[in-house]
Amino acid sequence: TTTQQAKSPAKKVKKAKDPNAPKRGLSAYMFFAKDKRGEIKAKHPAYTLGEIGKALGAAWGKLSDKEKAKTAKSYVDAGLAAQNSKDYSTAISMYQKAYDLVPHPVLLFNIGQAHRLAGHVDDAINFYLRSLESDDTIAGTWYNLGAAYTVKRDFELAKDAYLRALGIDPKLNNARYNLALLYREQNDPAAAIT
């Protein structure tokens, strides 16, 4: 009889980590744990690391709406900082995590803005439209939707969005200016002047 040798599974080659790659943003739980770890350690000084983790997990499960809002605000602040430094993928991630905690149409708008600034116009349009499904009375969202449609050269949809923005806020001069540019682009100088 011959013995068969077991085939060993092929070893996976681990990718070398780029030391210059941006770090991932903290999760909502990590923001929460960062804030609460000291409090739990002070309350239970004999807890081991694992027991602290269990206590944090239990506290996270009982998180109130007010505390979720506070954590979501931390995400929004991190998203705004990332967006201001032109790190749009981190901004999108932070806004999405905030939205997962506190679903609010303004957060959908923020995600759309970060996508638009990153050049992801179709994604921006999608998030602006989702925001408007929840609240279609925000002139700034209509204005930015118009700007995104303008980038796509979909002038009719852009014009409609700018007109909706002006219907909500007639003093929104950026919408008026962009609308005039659209009319000029479409060789309608009379409409551009109004």
Side-chain angles (χ1 to χ4, degrees):
T1 63
T2 59
T3 59
Q4 292 182 344
Q5 291 182 347
K7 291 184 181 179
S8 61
K11 290 186 179 182
K12 292 184 181 179
V13 178
K14 193 172 183 179
K15 251 188 192 177
K17 194 171 185 177
D18 180 3
N20 298 321
K23 295 185 179 182
R24 257 190 297 167
L26 296 177
S27 68
Y29 173 75
M30 293 306 290
F31 274 110
F32 174 80
K34 185 177 163 185
D35 288 342
K36 296 291 181 187
R37 186 178 310 279
E39 185 180 309
I40 290 174
K41 276 178 124 176
K43 203 174 193 180
H44 306 283
Y47 270 15
T48 65
L49 188 61
E51 291 169 326
I52 291 172
K54 285 180 186 176
L56 285 168
W60 175 252
K62 297 175 186 173
L63 201 60
S64 72
D65 288 345
K66 186 176 180 180
E67 290 169 316
K68 284 181 183 177
K70 181 181 175 192
T71 304
K73 184 179 178 337
S74 298
Y75 276 135
V76 171
D77 291 344
L80 289 170
Q83 186 169 312
N84 288 337
S85 64
K86 299 185 186 330
D87 183 0
Y88 302 120
S89 62
T90 299
I92 291 164
S93 172
M94 292 293 114
Y95 295 145
Q96 184 64 55
K97 288 176 182 178
Y99 182 79
D100 291 344
L101 283 173
V102 182
H104 193 281
V106 170
L107 294 170
L108 293 171
F109 170 80
N110 288 356
I111 296 168
Q113 275 295 84
H115 274 296
R116 186 173 67 82
L117 294 169
H120 311 147
V121 180
D122 290 328
D123 290 327
I125 290 170
N126 177 43
F127 280 99
Y128 292 146
L129 290 172
R130 284 180 58 193
S131 176
L132 289 166
E133 284 173 10
S134 298
D135 184 356
D136 67 352
T137 63
I138 301 173
T141 306
W142 284 108
Y143 166 75
N144 282 285
L145 179 62
Y149 280 135
T150 300
V151 169
K152 287 192 58 96
R153 303 192 61 76
D154 192 335
F155 298 132
E156 285 306 311
L157 289 175
K159 184 170 58 170
D160 291 344
Y162 290 137
L163 288 170
R164 289 289 297 265
L166 289 168
I168 296 165
D169 181 1
K171 295 179 182 177
L172 190 58
N173 289 328
N174 287 344
R176 188 171 308 288
Y177 176 77
N178 285 1
L179 187 58
L181 291 177
L182 282 180
Y183 285 132
R184 192 179 78 188
E185 177 82 20
Q186 295 177 325
N187 293 321
D188 191 353
I193 294 171
T194 59

